[in-house]
Amino acid sequence: MLPSFLLSWILLRCADSFSVRVPPGPVVVARGATAFLSCEFEPDLNISHLVINWQRQEDARVVHSFYYQVDQLDRQSKDYLGRTKLNHNELAKGNASLSIANFGLNDAGKYLCTVTNTKGIGKGELQLVYAAFCSEPRLSIHLKSSDVTVQYEMEGYPRPEILWLGSLGQNLTDHLEISPASDGGLYYLKSSYVTQNSAVNVTFTLKNPAAHQDLQRHVILSYDENMTSRTNSSTYVLSILCVILLCSTVLLLWLYCRRDK
Ligand SMILES: *[C@@H]1O[C@H](CO)[C@@H](O)[C@H](O)[C@H]1NC(C)=O
Ligand SMILES: *[C@@H]1O[C@H](CO)[C@@H](O)[C@H](O)[C@H]1NC(C)=O
Ligand SMILES: *[C@@H]1O[C@H](CO)[C@@H](O)[C@H](O)[C@H]1NC(C)=O
Ligand SMILES: *[C@@H]1O[C@H](CO)[C@@H](O)[C@H](O)[C@H]1NC(C)=O
Ligand SMILES: *[C@@H]1O[C@H](CO)[C@@H](O)[C@H](O)[C@H]1NC(C)=O
């Protein structure tokens, strides 16, 4: 009685102890990088009974399969064609970690690592998050008669937190435009600050926590307030010159015609 109870307890413990271990929290992968999906299980030195299946949790797309001691890619989703790699030398050590090359926005999501061997069956779910480092913001300054526009343009993912700060650290109102960039998996962002002041002393700040990015760019600019009126006066001078030129041409033509008569 006791030995059989003990035996079933041990068997239960064994079945219980077969666990598939994956990283608990979301894993951030940068655009274009190789994602590393860690998955460990209780090893069995003889891998002839080992079945590994990597799938997307959301739609059961097959990412990578391994059984009969070889990669089985007949049912692999074409989205992962030629991009996945399972290190066969690690399998007997209980390591079913998979790598996915050239990570993109569509690769973000949940992945299931299912392992079956003589010790049991188990699965682990891990989440991959996509992020793209923001490009260096490109500055442009537009001077108009009525105001000055300071503008930064950049690409990145996800939507970063953008703030324009005044010289005293005050939050300035700004304008932000976001659109998907033609190059997939990136946002195109255009943020501007408009002022009527002739002296600009502002700080542009950008935070993209997913990509561990935190940058600040200072813009200091001052211009002559009378520049616009000078532009107006030069336009005025130019108009006068044109009128004089026109008048003299007409006069010359008139004189020329009179000489012919
Ligand atoms: C592994 O297991 C298979 C099937 O049980 C057996 O045929 C084979 O000899 C074993 N290999 C080793 C190295 O023990
Ligand atoms: C699992 O295998 C990968 C290579 O595929 C290796 O980089 C990683 O260090 C291994 N993990 C452990 C715990 O040995
Ligand atoms: C701009 O503001 C900063 C912070 O208040 C200050 O240290 C700096 O001197 C200012 N620069 C100009 C040119 O006013
Ligand atoms: C700054 O101001 C904008 C509106 O002008 C507001 O949406 C934003 O939350 C403010 N940010 C901070 C950090 O105060
Ligand atoms: C602009 O012109 C006015 C009068 O012509 C002058 O008093 C003022 O100092 C000028 N401003 C600058 C910034 O030069």
Side-chain angles (χ1 to χ4, degrees):
M1 181 69 190
L2 192 68
S4 87
F5 166 77
L6 208 64
L7 191 68
S8 58
W9 182 79
I10 289 166
L11 280 173
L12 266 172
R13 286 291 301 175
C14 286
D16 256 2
S17 72
F18 190 83
S19 65
V20 168
R21 295 178 301 280
V22 292
V27 177
V28 178
V29 187
R31 176 174 197 265
T34 295
F36 184 72
L37 292 75
S38 173
C39 179
E40 287 169 37
F41 58 96
E42 198 189 331
D44 174 0
L45 288 176
N46 188 342
I47 66 160
S48 60
H49 295 284
L50 178 65
V51 177
I52 292 168
N53 198 22
W54 276 100
Q55 270 181 296
R56 285 299 294 265
Q57 191 267 334
E58 301 90 347
D59 52 13
R61 257 180 300 159
V62 176
V63 178
H64 195 105
S65 296
F66 175 96
Y67 49 90
Y68 299 146
Q69 305 189 47
V70 286
D71 286 324
Q72 304 284 347
L73 304 174
D74 295 346
R75 292 179 56 236
Q76 184 187 46
S77 159
K78 63 177 179 356
D79 300 339
Y80 294 95
L81 183 71
R83 295 169 58 211
T84 58
K85 193 167 173 287
L86 193 69
N87 191 342
H88 295 181
N89 299 329
E90 291 285 324
L91 298 177
K93 299 180 205 160
N95 181 352
S97 302
L98 184 77
S99 61
I100 303 175
N102 194 20
F103 199 76
L105 178 59
N106 295 335
D107 298 324
K110 290 177 178 165
Y111 289 77
L112 278 176
C113 171
T114 310
V115 180
T116 312
N117 68 11
T118 51
K119 306 258 172 94
I121 176 165
K123 60 175 70 179
E125 182 184 290
L126 75 127
Q127 194 182 354
L128 299 186
V129 175
Y130 166 85
F133 206 73
C134 276
S135 58
E136 175 60 35
R138 301 180 292 279
L139 174 70
S140 58
I141 295 168
H142 307 279
L143 287 173
K144 280 191 287 181
S145 55
S146 51
D147 53 38
V148 184
T149 304
V150 183
Q151 176 182 283
Y152 273 114
E153 287 170 86
M154 69 233 97
E155 288 85 24
Y157 195 97
R159 176 191 169 143
E161 188 188 311
I162 287 172
L163 265 186
W164 289 82
L165 302 173
S167 57
L168 304 171
Q170 71 275 32
N171 180 7
L172 303 173
T173 48
D174 58 296
H175 175 73
L176 178 65
E177 271 176 47
I178 301 179
S179 54
S182 53
D183 197 1
L186 285 177
Y187 280 137
Y188 165 75
L189 304 117
K190 190 156 88 175
S191 179
S192 55
Y193 161 70
V194 182
T195 182
Q196 272 91 43
N197 292 344
S198 62
V200 174
N201 186 354
V202 293
T203 304
F204 168 86
T205 69
L206 178 146
K207 283 195 178 90
N208 183 0
H212 302 287
Q213 201 173 10
D214 189 349
L215 60 86
Q216 300 195 334
R217 295 290 177 268
H218 303 286
V219 180
I220 296 171
L221 164 82
S222 62
Y223 66 95
D224 187 348
E225 268 180 284
N226 294 340
M227 196 170 54
T228 10
S229 50
R230 201 188 300 149
T231 318
N232 286 345
S233 61
S234 62
T235 315
Y236 179 69
V237 169
L238 209 67
S239 329
I240 300 276
L241 278 173
C242 283
V243 169
I244 292 173
L245 201 71
L246 199 72
C247 289
S248 40
T249 313
V250 168
L251 190 72
L252 277 172
L253 273 173
W254 184 72
L255 285 172
Y256 184 76
C257 292
R258 267 183 60 108
R259 196 199 61 180
D260 275 2
K261 277 187 187 162

